[in-house]
Amino acid sequence: MDGTQEGLRNKVMFFIIPFLRNKLGLDIQTIREVMIRWGERCSPILDADEIYKEVNRIYGLGFQGKHGVYTQELFRAYGYLDFDQYKIRDEVEITNSFFDDFAEMADASIRIFLSMKLAAELGEVKEFSKKDIQHFANMSERTIERNIKALVGKKYISKRRANRRKGEAYVYYPTPFFSTGKGFTSFGNALLEKMLKELTDGEIKLYCYLRRKSGNQEVSFWASQEYIADKIGKTQQGISLLTDNLNKKGFIRKITEVNGKIKQSKYILKF
């Protein structure tokens, strides 16, 4: 779509911004950068400030489809497009409804889910026995039994009866289909591996939430610790400690300011 002519630009933006968000899972900052580069290739060139405003407006409309309408005008201009060939193949996509349930889910449940999603994405395992989950999540069978129930109950993990002759009652696998109504957040495979290796369960939960929030707004955002604590089922003191730890481990940069009697923190993600 380089060099989009006048008369088609609005249709292109309404088509491609939902595609970048809902199909590829790009955050709004990356989408702005992509569209500004696109605008530079239009003839005449589109103003970056105007594109910035349009991206914010269209992104904010919350289209639920995998892309906007590919109109007859676009078809005549650009021909047939095979949308399935455009995929990010080194990232794990997680439905945003998962993060909305953090207040009700234990920290260990988050590690279990991410471990299984990563292993499935890498093609290591498609269906997991409890021993498989122990291996990838690096936790005891008892901890898995206690924490996988919430994932199954909320349908993020599915289970089916296994071959009992092998000593397993059930096998588990990440539910392959989920609603795109709330969009999704993408994590690079390398980032997930780093998180699972270097962070505690609580730190993983908090970092996931920060990444979800920054992905929907800016590369950084402001929020009170009380607000975040309520959203992920922690105390204000716990959020303060966890953000300090993430700052020390290099996952975020934390800046705290006092406005009158109100203390606010700004979190800038490093990855």
Side-chain angles (χ1 to χ4, degrees):
M1 295 180 173
D2 285 356
T4 299
Q5 64 267 37
E6 290 183 282
L8 289 180
R9 295 172 180 178
N10 190 257
K11 292 181 174 64
V12 167
M13 294 185 78
F14 267 93
F15 160 72
I16 205 167
I17 290 172
F19 173 79
L20 296 174
R21 173 186 172 177
N22 298 340
K23 180 69 173 178
L24 297 188
L26 302 182
D27 60 74
I28 190 169
Q29 178 64 26
T30 305
I31 293 173
R32 289 188 193 122
E33 294 171 1
V34 170
M35 296 310 295
I36 287 171
R37 290 290 298 276
W38 166 78
E40 292 172 352
R41 295 168 182 245
C42 290
S43 180
I45 293 174
L46 286 179
D47 181 71
D49 290 338
E50 185 62 28
I51 290 178
Y52 191 101
K53 293 176 184 177
E54 280 298 288
V55 170
N56 288 347
R57 183 176 71 85
I58 296 172
Y59 190 97
L61 293 175
F63 289 108
Q64 297 184 10
K66 292 184 177 181
H67 50 75
V69 177
Y70 194 61
T71 66
Q72 286 296 318
E73 294 95 329
L74 294 178
F75 180 82
R76 285 194 293 268
Y78 303 112
Y80 171 76
L81 291 181
D82 180 4
F83 301 116
D84 287 335
Q85 70 175 297
Y86 301 105
K87 297 179 180 178
I88 295 176
R89 302 185 182 277
D90 61 348
E91 293 190 334
V92 173
E93 298 173 353
I94 299 175
T95 174
N96 284 336
S97 62
F98 177 67
F99 307 98
D100 295 339
D101 286 332
F102 271 18
E104 305 171 24
M105 296 172 59
D107 300 354
S109 297
I110 311 304
R111 178 181 287 275
I112 291 171
F113 180 72
L114 295 180
S115 299
M116 293 176 69
K117 287 285 286 185
L118 179 60
E121 176 67 21
L122 296 176
E124 298 184 31
V125 178
K126 290 185 177 180
E127 295 183 335
F128 298 75
S129 66
K130 287 182 181 177
K131 290 188 181 298
D132 292 328
I133 301 173
Q134 281 182 260
H135 170 70
F136 290 109
N138 192 27
M139 59 178 57
S140 68
E141 182 177 359
R142 186 173 181 180
T143 302
I144 291 168
E145 290 175 347
R146 187 169 61 248
N147 290 281
I148 202 169
K149 293 178 181 178
L151 295 168
V152 174
K154 291 184 178 295
K155 303 187 185 303
Y156 296 119
I157 296 294
S158 298
K159 70 176 183 178
R160 68 168 184 80
R161 289 199 174 275
N163 187 335
R164 295 192 178 186
R165 287 178 295 179
K166 295 182 178 180
E168 288 283 350
Y170 292 96
V171 291
Y172 301 84
Y173 55 94
T175 302
F177 304 107
F178 55 82
S179 171
T180 60
K182 292 187 177 181
F184 56 86
T185 298
S186 296
F187 290 77
N189 295 345
L191 174 59
L192 273 184
E193 289 178 334
K194 183 177 178 68
M195 290 164 57
L196 293 167
K197 180 179 179 181
E198 300 181 15
L199 300 182
T200 66
D201 294 356
E203 291 163 2
I204 288 173
K205 188 179 194 181
L206 175 56
Y207 183 76
C208 282
Y209 183 75
L210 295 179
R211 185 172 174 85
R212 153 77 168 113
K213 292 295 292 183
S214 65
N216 275 338
Q217 298 180 30
E218 306 286 348
V219 292
S220 62
F221 73 100
W222 291 90
S224 69
Q225 293 177 344
E226 290 84 357
Y227 173 86
I228 298 174
D230 178 66
K231 294 298 183 181
I232 70 170
K234 298 288 183 183
T235 64
Q236 184 275 329
Q237 185 177 11
I239 296 298
S240 180
L241 178 61
L242 289 171
T243 50
D244 284 345
N245 290 345
L246 288 173
N247 186 65
K248 292 176 183 176
K249 292 181 178 182
F251 279 78
I252 67 170
R253 181 180 170 214
K254 177 180 176 181
I255 303 171
T256 302
E257 295 181 358
V258 178
N259 183 8
K261 295 183 179 180
I262 300 176
K263 181 183 290 187
Q264 288 186 313
S265 294
K266 183 178 183 180
Y267 309 102
I268 302 173
L269 278 65
K270 298 292 189 68
F271 305 106

